[in-house]
Amino acid sequence: MRTLIEANLCDGVIYGDNVNLEYVYMPASEIGVKNPICVFEENSSREDISMSEALTIIRKRSLKPVKHPRLGISSC
């Protein structure tokens, strides 16, 4: 059973912190894939991460749904 955060990521919701410039999201091309890859952006660096890593980062850093400076409110 998927968590609410996982379901939101699969719907294109971007989690982040605009003050610290940290964002976690699932690119639109990964939506609907069996084992999707998510993206973690921190300042100017960008890294591909697994769904479990994305969920861990979101929980540990208390990231909330935000508006991404480039993508807006959704990665779709």
Side-chain angles (χ1 to χ4, degrees):
M1 190 165 155
R2 296 189 329 188
T3 65
L4 179 60
I5 295 171
E6 186 176 0
N8 284 343
L9 283 172
C10 291
D11 286 339
V13 174
I14 299 170
Y15 282 83
D17 180 348
N18 288 326
V19 174
N20 295 316
L21 302 175
E22 299 173 335
Y23 304 96
V24 176
Y25 59 90
M26 182 184 300
S29 62
E30 294 292 317
I31 294 174
V33 176
K34 186 173 183 177
N35 293 313
I37 298 296
C38 294
V39 174
F40 174 55
E41 291 184 10
E42 186 175 28
N43 296 318
S44 61
S45 68
R46 185 178 153 139
E47 177 183 355
D48 291 343
I49 58 174
S50 68
M51 177 62 80
S52 63
E53 290 172 306
L55 296 173
T56 299
I57 290 170
I58 290 168
R59 288 186 190 116
K60 283 188 176 181
R61 298 179 185 222
S62 299
L63 302 180
K64 305 293 181 209
V66 296
K67 183 176 180 182
H68 189 279
R70 209 174 13 93
L71 300 174
I73 60 169
S74 175
S75 64
C76 298

